[in-house]
Amino acid sequence: MSIAGGLPQAIARARAVDATALQVFVKSSNQWAARPFSPGEVEAYRQASREAGLEGHTLAHASYLINLASPDDALWEKSVVAFRVELDRCEALGIPWLVVHPGAHVGSGVAKGIERVADALDRVLVPASQGVGVLLETTAGQGSTLGARFEELGEILKRAQRSERLGICFDTCHALAAGYDFRSAAAYTETMAALDRAVGLDRLLGIHLNDSKGDLGSRRDRHEHIGKGKVGLSGFKLILSDRRFRDVPMVLETEKGDDLAEDRVNLEVLRSLVPR
């Protein structure tokens, strides 16, 4: 949900569509600087979140500018500092998980990129007092981005020192585009087994429910409304029927207008797929 008008407005928008999970940006997604919270904004957000029953079922998404895998020292340092600011803002707001794309190695190689991400996570997760965790998002595999293969995410988790505060966010559009099929019972079982081997299903702590304009292995990060793309209803039904993920926050990242009509339609479709 948009945070236009202040973070509490995201809660109001979520309640307007009867949401039971939420994702927000804690600052502008396309700027490095983070505006200070306005007076009373944090308290108002936390109260609204509690009243809406969204506390503990909310994810934040990191800025798209951040690249924790960058081989450029200046950009890497800038990314680390900005990411730490976002973690601090999540802590203030009571948001338990910050989702981030692992980043792009920009030609330095997968192994070096993984090393850079792990080092960045070690930097930002040092303070023992901070309880906010990081979810590495599965990606579509465009360019030199990391995270299209489950094994890359697993290697980052192994190398990072504070692994107890790390997990993954499974994006349905990205997974399909990266070549993981989950649209039939057999394919779903195979993909989840691969994820379990590489990462561990206990690490799957967030899910982005997006249909995909691109087909299996297309490497196109183009979201589509539920049931209108190449994932189709079957893939979503299998996820929503999997009792292992019943308590995992699942959120939409599909286009919508100010009246949120598209969210209402997508949520209605998804809820119709949940086993009774």
Side-chain angles (χ1 to χ4, degrees), residues 124-207:
V124 298
L125 294 176
V126 166
S129 61
Q130 191 178 64
V132 179
V134 174
L135 300 185
L136 300 170
E137 185 174 344
T138 59
T139 62
Q142 293 175 300
S144 66
T145 56
L146 300 173
R149 307 310 304 166
F150 295 155
E151 292 79 8
E152 293 173 1
L153 298 174
E155 189 60 30
I156 294 170
L157 296 181
K158 287 177 189 174
R159 292 181 65 97
Q161 295 177 13
R162 301 299 300 275
S163 61
E164 76 280 2
R165 284 168 59 190
L166 295 171
I168 68 159
C169 180
F170 182 88
D171 186 301
T172 53
C173 169
H174 298 172
L176 188 78
Y180 290 106
D181 201 356
F182 52 92
R183 297 170 294 184
S184 68
Y188 182 83
T189 298
E190 183 178 341
T191 289
M192 288 302 159
L195 182 60
D196 194 29
R197 288 192 300 271
V199 176
L201 291 182
D202 59 323
R203 298 271 196 174
L204 203 170
L205 299 171
I207 296 177

Side-chain angles (χ1 to χ4, degrees), residues 30-46:
N30 292 307
Q31 293 183 17
W32 287 104
R35 67 165 179 81
F37 291 124
S38 60
E41 184 176 7
V42 169
E43 294 77 9
Y45 173 87
R46 295 188 75 136

Side-chain angles (χ1 to χ4, degrees), residues 54-68:
L54 290 167
E55 199 174 36
H57 292 89
T58 298
L59 308 173
H61 198 297
S63 165
Y64 297 124
L65 299 176
I66 290 171
N67 184 5
L68 301 180

Side-chain angles (χ1 to χ4, degrees), residues 172 182-184 188 231-240 273:
T172 53
F182 52 92
R183 297 170 294 184
S184 68
Y188 182 83
V231 173
L233 297 181
S234 58
F236 295 108
K237 186 170 185 177
L238 287 162
I239 291 173
L240 294 168
L273 301 175

